[in-house]
Amino acid sequence: MDPDDWRMMGQERYLAGRILHRRAYRRWREDWDHDHCEFCARKLSELNDPEHLREGWTTEDGYHWVCDRCYADFRERFEWPTAPSLPSDPEVG
C-alpha cells in the first residue's frame, strides 16, 4: 500500500481500529439520501442506480461507510478486526 495514496485524508482519526460490519446501505437520517465511501467518495444509497453502491462496510452506528474495494485496500493498515454482518440496520433518526 502506497503511504501517499490519494484516498488518505486523515481517516485514521476516526476509523483506525474500529469494528466495521458488512451491511446493506441505510440512510443515516430521514432527510438523507446517500453517503460516500470515506476513502474514494463512491456513493452508497438505497436507490436502484447502477452508479451507487447498495452495500458496504460501516461502523456500528451506520454513520461512516467504506466500499468493498477500499475496505480490502485499507483493512490491514487500519487494523480492522473481522466482524460479522449485522442482521438489522440502525434506526433512521
Side-chain angles (χ1 to χ4, degrees):
M1 178 61 54
D2 179 1
D4 296 322
D5 190 298
W6 66 271
R7 297 171 290 177
M8 293 299 299
M9 297 171 275
Q11 298 95 328
E12 297 94 340
R13 293 186 317 270
Y14 56 93
L15 285 177
R18 296 279 305 266
I19 295 173
L20 299 182
H21 300 273
R22 181 94 167 104
R23 172 188 289 170
Y25 177 81
R26 292 292 177 253
R27 58 192 170 183
W28 175 246
R29 293 190 319 240
E30 196 63 38
D31 61 345
W32 216 262
D33 69 349
H34 72 277
D35 275 289
H36 295 269
C37 172
E38 294 289 335
F39 295 90
C40 70
R42 182 110 188 251
K43 284 186 180 179
L44 293 106
S45 77
E46 296 176 11
L47 300 175
N48 193 12
D49 182 325
E51 297 201 16
H52 294 202
L53 300 172
R54 300 204 32 151
E55 296 182 348
W57 294 87
T58 186
T59 50
E60 201 154 321
D61 62 7
Y63 188 73
H64 298 289
W65 287 86
V66 177
C67 73
D68 286 336
R69 179 178 177 205
C70 291
Y71 179 85
D73 288 350
F74 293 108
R75 186 178 69 209
E76 289 180 17
R77 182 175 182 166
F78 278 72
E79 299 179 351
W80 290 323
T82 302
S85 296
L86 291 179
S88 61
D89 299 314
E91 287 187 31
V92 174

